Amino acid sequence: MLTPTIPTLADGTRIDDLVNLATREVQMRTLSDPEIYELEMERIFGRIWVFLGHESEVPNSGDFVVRDMGSDSVLVTRDKSGEVHVMLNMCTHRGMRISTLDAGNTQIHTCIYHGWAFRPNGEFLGAPVEKEQMYGKIRTKQELGLKRARVTLYGGLIFATWNIDGPSFEEFLGDAKWYYDMLFQRTDRGLEVLGPPQRFTVRANWKAAGEQSAADGYHTLTLHRWLGEVGNYSKKGDGEGGGGDLSPEMYGSEVSSPHGHALRCIDLARKIRRLTGKDPSQLSIEEKLAALPPAGMTPEMVPQLKKHLSDGQLQALTWMPPQVGGIFPNVLFGFVYIPQADGSVVGSITLHAYVPRGPDKLEFVNWILTEKDAPAELRDKMRKQTTQLFGTSGMVEQDDSDTWPHMTLGAKGAQGKKMTLKYQAVYETGKPEGWPGPGIINEGFTKDDTQWHWWLYWRQLMLGEI
């Protein structure tokens, strides 16, 4: 049995022994053990900031969606004042779910079991037959409201935590915020979702997907090799590799975080050279933005960038912008420049959440986003392209979601659970000369550092050190 004072599993294994700091290895049993899973729900999803969706999913008063914070179902609502709330989706009377729907609109959330009613902000309104006071006199109405989480909106993204007095969201992001701002805080009106998220269930532990989201670029060379053979990167002679060689896309800078966040900042020089026929080093920031606007933007939208980003962020955005990465513990984002058959480039913006459903099950949730100011033609191209590549039927996700179950099954074996995940490809470079941003930066071919930092933060949380 796990105890609150001794982080030790039932078989005597210490939690701190699951991650070998000296050899940079993690025991495979972390991907299957039910005890470990239950502890994660308390010490990770019960304490840190968790991504739940985008505010454009609840645009109007009374709108709500049902999401999950670890193993807990929550209501994400918007009240009459426009404020977004996150509350435990559990009636304070007998524990029935307040909503069994995925989404809807109501000013009164009524439990179907005994009819207890709550406002969109979680306040308890009352129960049927008010004169009989079926909620009793022991607790006040104020005490009977729904359990509320602490909420923050960042670039329209909704995050919440049960740790009411814990670190702020900015503290949680740390230095990584400088890079996330280049994606989520770059325009006047920001991003919005293109419809409700796509969902499917994968028979795998959430960490098999979560640790990959920490900027694992290496797997692309083999698992997604088809991109260079028959996909959008297959054209030979364009400087992108071709013939199955995706290695040029593996070079750039990677940002690691003590809080497990990660970003792969991929060099745009090849694309800009192909589009302009000129040496990118000889072009100004303005010229590079005109030739290749950020993923999901048009040249007409580019002037907005100067209003929201610093000179250093603009430099990075036209040199090695963050394109793929993660927000600890279970979010992957993609702001990807996809080459087209006609030689042009179309951006793709997607967010994945790998929602835990048990030690060997996760729900894959995929949001497709676009800039609110993007023209209809671009929005349609982005929707189709992102669905084909990164959606629930997307070819990239068919690859990824095939590996995670095999890892989880292997971690259940009598011998397999004793094996280790290895993160021993270590950067020895440091940041590129002239790099303008903060954080732990390394340049070159993608390595394991970002994923290793993911596991180090996981270990800290599991040990109760944070």
Side-chain angles (χ1 to χ4, degrees):
M1 293 286 291
L2 284 166
T3 71
T5 56
I6 304 174
T8 304
L9 300 175
D11 65 357
T13 301
R14 292 168 56 91
I15 294 295
D16 56 352
D17 289 336
L18 296 173
V19 180
N20 189 318
L21 301 180
T23 64
R24 292 171 58 119
E25 296 178 59
V26 179
Q27 290 188 24
M28 283 293 295
R29 70 180 291 180
T30 58
L31 301 186
S32 65
D33 193 298
E35 270 190 292
I36 292 173
Y37 177 83
E38 292 301 326
L39 191 61
E40 289 168 342
M41 297 304 103
E42 291 286 342
R43 297 196 174 182
I44 296 180
F45 289 92
R47 295 186 59 191
I48 67 168
W49 290 95
V50 178
F51 171 66
L52 297 175
H54 194 274
E55 66 171 335
S56 59
E57 297 181 79
V58 286
N60 304 308
S61 172
D63 284 349
F64 72 91
V65 293
V66 174
R67 296 290 153 78
D68 296 273
M69 292 175 65
S71 55
D72 289 305
S73 174
V74 295
L75 281 166
V76 181
T77 68
R78 190 182 291 274
D79 66 17
K80 289 182 178 180
S81 68
E83 188 174 354
V84 173
H85 302 271
V86 174
M87 301 156 295
L88 188 65
N89 187 18
M90 178 183 286
C91 183
T92 50
H93 183 216
R94 300 285 170 81
M96 174 62 192
R97 284 196 171 193
I98 296 296
S99 178
T100 57
L101 305 175
D102 287 334
N105 180 283
T106 183
Q107 294 296 340
I108 301 176
H109 293 271
T110 305
C111 177
I112 64 171
Y113 195 8
H114 294 96
W116 283 32
F118 305 85
R119 297 187 192 277
N121 65 2
E123 291 180 358
F124 176 58
L125 280 171
V129 197
E130 177 67 18
K131 67 178 182 178
E132 297 295 341
Q133 203 167 328
M134 292 302 295
Y135 48 86
K137 298 180 181 180
I138 295 175
R139 292 189 179 274
T140 66
K141 283 190 174 183
Q142 289 72 28
E143 293 177 297
L144 294 174
L146 301 180
K147 180 179 176 63
R148 304 185 202 185
R150 182 180 169 197
V151 180
T152 193
L153 298 183
Y154 170 67
L157 306 180
I158 303 169
F159 288 84
T161 178
W162 299 117
N163 193 359
I164 305 301
D165 300 317
S168 69
F169 183 69
E170 288 203 358
E171 290 174 315
F172 173 63
L173 289 187
D175 287 338
K177 184 179 183 298
W178 191 88
Y179 302 91
Y180 294 140
D181 284 352
M182 296 160 60
L183 306 175
F184 301 110
Q185 303 267 48
R186 64 188 186 180
T187 57
D188 294 347
R189 300 179 63 217
L191 298 165
E192 64 180 355
V193 295
L194 291 177
Q198 302 172 308
R199 299 178 177 185
F200 68 99
T201 299
V202 184
R203 293 306 303 257
N205 184 274
W206 71 272
K207 295 186 298 302
E211 64 91 38
Q212 180 185 301
S213 72
D216 177 4
Y218 185 43
H219 77 281
T220 306
L221 292 176
T222 48
L223 189 62
H224 306 313
R225 181 180 173 86
W226 60 269
L227 280 168
E229 296 174 330
V230 297
N232 291 338
Y233 294 88
S234 62
K235 183 179 178 182
K236 296 182 179 180
D238 64 359
E240 301 293 337
D245 181 16
L246 293 171
S247 59
E249 290 294 311
M250 299 300 105
Y251 288 90
S253 292
E254 293 191 350
V255 182
S256 296
S257 164
H259 292 165
H261 313 310
L263 302 102
R264 290 192 63 228
C265 303
I266 303 172
D267 198 337
L268 290 183
R270 297 180 302 278
K271 288 184 173 64
I272 293 175
R273 184 179 293 109
R274 177 164 56 86
L275 289 168
T276 66
K278 299 178 181 179
D279 182 353
S281 66
Q282 302 303 309
L283 299 176
S284 67
I285 286 176
E286 290 74 14
E287 289 172 321
K288 287 189 278 190
L289 285 172
L292 185 59
M297 294 182 64
T298 64
E300 292 75 22
M301 298 168 64
V302 164
Q304 297 183 33
L305 297 172
K306 288 190 175 182
K307 295 164 58 177
H308 299 277
L309 303 180
S310 67
D311 290 343
Q313 288 170 317
L314 289 172
Q315 179 188 355
L317 198 61
T318 56
W319 178 13
M320 297 184 199
Q323 295 190 42
V324 181
I327 301 174
F328 187 91
N330 65 332
V331 174
L332 178 141
F333 65 82
F335 283 68
V336 186
Y337 302 74
I338 306 294
Q340 306 296 300
D342 62 2
S344 64
V345 175
V346 173
S348 172
I349 302 178
T350 185
L351 281 172
H352 302 334
Y354 307 115
V355 181
R357 292 293 189 213
D360 59 358
K361 186 187 294 185
L362 66 87
E363 184 177 48
F364 183 115
V365 187
N366 174 56
W367 289 263
I368 300 173
L369 298 101
T370 182
E371 294 285 352
K372 291 180 181 177
D373 286 340
E377 182 181 3
L378 177 57
R379 293 161 67 93
D380 190 53
K381 286 182 179 179
M382 292 176 65
R383 178 184 57 78
K384 291 179 180 177
Q385 178 172 260
T386 307
T387 301
Q388 291 169 356
L389 287 176
F390 305 111
T392 53
S393 59
M395 297 177 70
V396 170
E397 305 312 337
Q398 290 183 44
D399 293 340
D400 289 331
S401 59
D402 185 52
T403 62
W404 306 326
H406 290 292
M407 295 167 66
T408 303
L409 283 171
K412 292 181 178 182
Q415 299 304 315
K417 67 181 180 182
K418 301 175 184 178
M419 302 299 290
T420 59
L421 300 146
K422 298 174 179 63
Y423 302 89
Q424 297 161 345
V426 184
Y427 271 117
E428 299 175 345
T429 53
K431 63 183 179 182
E433 183 178 355
W435 186 255
I440 306 167
I441 317 298
N442 285 286
E443 180 187 22
F445 191 86
T446 181
K447 301 289 186 180
D448 293 337
D449 294 60
T450 52
Q451 291 176 275
W452 179 239
H453 280 93
W454 189 96
W455 278 108
L456 291 180
Y457 192 53
W458 177 90
R459 176 180 179 273
Q460 284 183 287
L461 288 166
M462 292 291 281
L463 291 173
E465 296 179 353
I466 298 174

